[in-house]
Amino acid sequence: MKRQTWAPYFAILICGFLILTFCLALLQLSGSFYYTHEFRPGRPNQWVVWLCWSASAVALVALFFGLQIPKNWPGLWPTLILFAISFRVVLVFSNPILEVDYYRYLWDGIAANSEVSPYRFSPATILGPPQSDPELRRLQSLVDQKPTLNEIVARVHFEQYTTLYPPVSQSVFRLTTALIPDQSSVDFHVSAIKSSLVLFDLGVIVCLLWLLSLMNRHPAWVVAYGWNPLVLKEIANGGHLDSIAIFFMTAGLAAFFYYAKSLNHDDTDPTSASRNETMSNSASIWALSLSAVLFSLGIGAKLFPVILLPGMSFYLVLKKKWLPAVLFLVLC
């Protein structure tokens, strides 16, 4: 490999190890953020902010040097992915910093696995006086018998309200909690739900690489997400469910671009037009349908992917693909 390529590659390695050091430092600092029912002053919040800002600057430098490497160089994307995985593995085992949403995720999954709708009873009701409803009594008996589950439901914030998370996310919560052994600690439950969310996060990176390939863009652009300290902090450390919706949204976009690419053929070349027409017909059978299904799952995980649907439908209308536009919206 040419020296002009080795230099930016070594720069990427240095940046990767610096961000990994940031993750290890965050892991160390997170020991001061163990859960407590009372407010604890003196936590190193400013150090967390400065670390995140510093890591953001390093990630931008890594992106700059990554774009200097030939995009078809075989060692580039494995390096980017391996670092992205290592960052997340470190932070999965850290104490979440100033976050508590995952306790609601865990309790929703536990309730669903007890065959009780998580939309029915608030945590405050569960911890309240016994009542005659058989499903409520079942949950109350469960938390009375298992101190770990009692602690989880007691840590849910806004405990007076039932859950607001959509059904696709609820399915992830239910599956995750179903796989957790009965005698596991609260910390194990937290690491398990964060691990599930990180798997979706890694899936986003794979979908972004596919999307970048479809758009003929440099794979190093994946650094903007995969090495982003905000993403690392909020998902691998903080355990936010957004990775579920982002995964389905990104996968849906990639499938949509795959279909759209088949529409942008050269109409002046009969051979190209014929070949792309065949590709378009084939793509319309699965790619557009897959995109619609993936987007509907994303919306079912968290509402925000819906904002892209009008623009995507309008694109199909501009291409005079009336039936595909209707199909796309109906499937969603």
Side-chain angles (χ1 to χ4, degrees):
M1 187 170 57
K2 296 180 180 179
R3 181 179 299 178
Q4 292 88 337
T5 304
W6 276 115
Y9 179 68
F10 279 129
I12 285 179
L13 290 178
I14 293 171
C15 291
F17 283 113
L18 285 174
I19 297 177
L20 184 59
T21 302
F22 149 78
C23 294
L24 292 169
L26 207 60
L27 174 64
Q28 181 66 27
L29 288 175
S30 72
S32 301
F33 290 88
Y34 61 86
Y35 183 88
T36 175
H37 290 281
E38 299 177 355
F39 175 73
R40 286 190 70 246
R43 286 175 166 175
N45 298 324
Q46 291 182 330
W47 279 106
V48 172
V49 173
W50 281 111
L51 278 172
C52 289
W53 275 106
S54 301
S56 298
V58 174
L60 285 174
V61 173
L63 177 59
F64 171 80
F65 283 109
L67 296 174
Q68 311 305 312
I69 299 175
K71 64 181 182 180
N72 58 349
W73 185 57
L76 178 59
W77 70 264
T79 300
L80 302 179
I81 290 180
L82 285 174
F83 270 117
I85 293 174
S86 64
F87 303 153
R88 288 159 172 80
V89 169
V90 169
L91 291 178
V92 157
F93 299 103
S94 61
N95 286 325
I97 296 174
L98 303 179
E99 304 289 354
V100 292
D101 291 355
Y102 44 86
Y103 291 119
R104 173 78 71 170
Y105 309 161
L106 288 168
W107 176 249
D108 286 355
I110 292 165
N113 283 311
S114 300
E115 304 303 328
V116 179
S117 169
Y119 300 105
R120 187 164 185 205
F121 301 112
S122 69
T125 303
I126 304 299
L127 296 174
Q131 298 183 26
S132 59
D133 188 286
E135 290 189 340
L136 178 57
R137 286 207 312 269
R138 188 189 314 162
L139 293 179
Q140 290 180 325
S141 174
L142 183 67
V143 299
D144 287 342
Q145 296 170 9
K146 298 183 178 181
T148 295
L149 303 189
N150 187 294
E151 183 64 22
I152 288 173
V153 70
R155 293 183 181 187
V156 176
H157 276 210
F158 298 103
E159 65 280 0
Q160 68 270 34
Y161 301 114
T162 57
T163 189
L164 52 75
Y165 298 116
V168 173
S169 292
Q170 293 290 346
S171 299
V172 176
F173 306 158
R174 181 171 189 173
L175 177 60
T176 301
T177 53
L179 297 175
I180 299 175
D182 286 341
Q183 304 305 318
S184 299
S185 65
V186 175
D187 288 343
F188 187 91
H189 278 77
V190 173
S191 296
I193 192 68
K194 290 204 296 176
S195 297
S196 293
L197 299 173
V198 163
L199 288 177
F200 282 97
D201 195 31
L202 292 172
V204 173
I205 295 175
V206 174
C207 292
L208 285 174
L209 287 169
W210 180 26
L211 191 56
L212 290 168
S213 176
L214 290 171
M215 300 173 67
N216 198 28
R217 297 297 179 89
H218 201 294
W221 281 110
V222 80
V223 170
Y225 180 90
W227 292 25
N228 191 319
L230 178 62
V231 176
L232 297 174
K233 161 66 179 66
E234 294 304 311
I235 296 175
N237 169 261
H240 282 290
L241 62 79
D242 299 75
S243 61
I244 306 172
I246 295 171
F247 167 73
F248 287 119
M249 180 184 71
T250 310
L253 273 176
F256 188 87
F257 267 86
Y258 181 87
Y259 172 77
K261 194 173 181 180
S262 71
L263 305 181
N264 297 323
H265 58 77
D266 184 2
D267 295 327
T268 63
D269 182 354
T271 303
S272 173
S274 176
R275 181 173 64 253
N276 282 283
E277 182 179 359
T278 302
M279 181 182 176
S280 176
N281 291 334
S282 175
S284 65
I285 294 173
W286 70 271
L288 191 66
S289 300
L290 177 63
S291 176
V293 171
L294 289 168
F295 255 90
S296 67
L297 290 171
I299 296 167
K302 201 167 183 179
L303 188 60
F304 64 81
V306 75
I307 197 171
L308 296 178
L309 294 186
M312 297 166 74
S313 303
F314 186 62
Y315 172 84
L316 295 174
V317 171
L318 288 178
K319 291 291 184 178
K320 298 183 179 179
K321 297 293 181 180
W322 308 103
L323 186 58
V326 173
L327 173 67
F328 181 74
L329 286 175
V330 167
L331 282 175
C332 281

